[in-house]
Amino acid sequence: MPVEITWWGHATTTVEDSGVRVLTDPLFARRLAHLRRRRGPVPPPAAAVADLALVSHLHADHLHPASLRRLAPGTRLVVPRGAGRAVPGLRRAAAERGLRVTEVTAGDEVRVRDVVVRAVPAAHDGRRLPYGPHRAPALGYVVRGEAATYFAGDTGLFDGMPEAVGAVDVALLPVGGWGPFLGRDHLDAGRAALALGRLAARDAVPVHYGTYWPIGMDAVRPHEFHAPGDDFVRHAARLAPRAAVHRLGHGESVRLGADG
């Protein structure tokens, strides 16, 4: 199952499978509102090169119009249904860059050559906080080519998760956040390891941690910023012992194949 995963920081990854490059939740900012990038450089221009870009939900650290403007004209962009109505900045970025926007809900599929991407449910508040009455579902995605790779976006554990996601080879799971407190509609390192065990993926990459942190909070519970990746490795060894966990540094890649 040859697939290459590159982690650019936070929830931004590139999944390359069958010659198709899929970019998740593009975020290429040094600073976002009260957050600043504390680990890893801003991804290089090559990180924005993709056949398909996926947005999991409308929170500003996942749907970032300024980052979408770095995508090449004509890039296909998949977003939750209702995103265009809820986020005017998305519509403007798409128009300026000539992005081909497809709005989806759980169960919908998008094909690019030999790769099919299926939207799956997520247990997360998908609103564009704090604005407006419009809502759009938070989603995860399964990228299926020679391998099946699950990008969870932001989610908590939910009943029926293995059935909703289906059989997968690789799981890209959020294990932390951008602040010291996570609600139940997030996975922390322990809950992510539980999810990994339930999904029975062969390989896992922890994401959504160790990149952005609130300005002025450097000394507040710093272990919450640094530790989730190592904590996930430790919890997964107990709760999902058959899975191989690949804790990547920013900009690092791992190639996963049938020979392991």
Side-chain angles (χ1 to χ4, degrees):
M1 55 163 201
V3 59
E4 184 168 284
I5 310 295
T6 303
W7 183 50
W8 302 108
H10 203 55
T12 307
T13 70
T14 295
V15 178
E16 188 162 1
D17 190 327
S18 305
V20 175
R21 288 175 60 89
V22 179
L23 179 66
T24 67
D25 285 351
L27 183 57
F28 303 133
R30 293 187 184 279
R31 180 171 173 174
L32 174 65
H34 64 298
L35 307 178
R36 65 171 178 169
R37 192 177 182 107
R38 291 194 58 221
R39 283 278 181 92
V42 173
V49 177
D51 299 288
L52 184 67
L54 308 176
V55 170
S56 62
H57 63 290
L58 306 192
H59 291 176
D61 56 324
H62 294 259
L63 197 171
H64 187 240
S67 294
L68 297 180
R69 289 185 176 90
R70 288 185 52 181
L71 301 178
T75 300
R76 191 165 186 181
L77 178 65
V78 176
V79 301
R81 186 169 296 168
R85 183 172 62 133
V87 186
L90 166 61
R91 300 197 300 270
R92 290 193 294 268
E96 290 174 16
R97 297 299 293 168
L99 306 178
R100 296 178 295 139
V101 179
T102 300
E103 297 195 3
V104 297
T105 192
D108 291 345
E109 294 184 343
V110 176
R111 175 181 287 274
V112 177
R113 300 195 296 276
D114 293 331
V115 168
V116 175
V117 176
R118 177 170 55 92
V120 299
H124 193 69
D125 185 344
R127 290 179 296 169
R128 183 69 167 183
L129 300 172
Y131 308 111
H134 303 308
R135 298 179 68 90
L139 299 172
Y141 297 96
V142 176
V143 179
R144 187 175 299 275
E146 294 189 51
T149 302
Y150 171 47
F151 168 66
D154 256 354
T155 188
L157 284 169
F158 59 91
D159 292 339
M161 188 180 204
E163 293 77 15
V165 173
V168 294
D169 302 300
V170 184
L172 312 181
L173 297 173
V175 301
W178 51 255
F181 304 106
L182 293 174
R184 296 301 297 180
D185 62 347
H186 292 80
L187 295 178
D188 60 12
R191 293 194 292 271
L194 279 171
L196 178 59
R198 295 177 186 179
L199 294 166
R202 170 177 162 173
D203 293 275
V205 176
V207 301
H208 204 282
Y209 79 100
T211 307
Y212 292 93
W213 202 244
I215 294 169
M217 291 187 67
D218 292 12
V220 178
R221 300 181 67 178
H223 64 284
E224 296 283 358
F225 176 80
H226 297 290
D230 288 335
D231 288 346
F232 177 66
V233 173
R234 177 170 52 84
H235 288 302
R238 177 173 54 89
L239 298 170
R242 295 186 179 181
V245 177
H246 309 274
R247 190 179 67 79
L248 302 178
H250 292 81
E252 288 187 347
S253 303
V254 60
R255 184 167 177 81
L256 306 170
D259 58 358

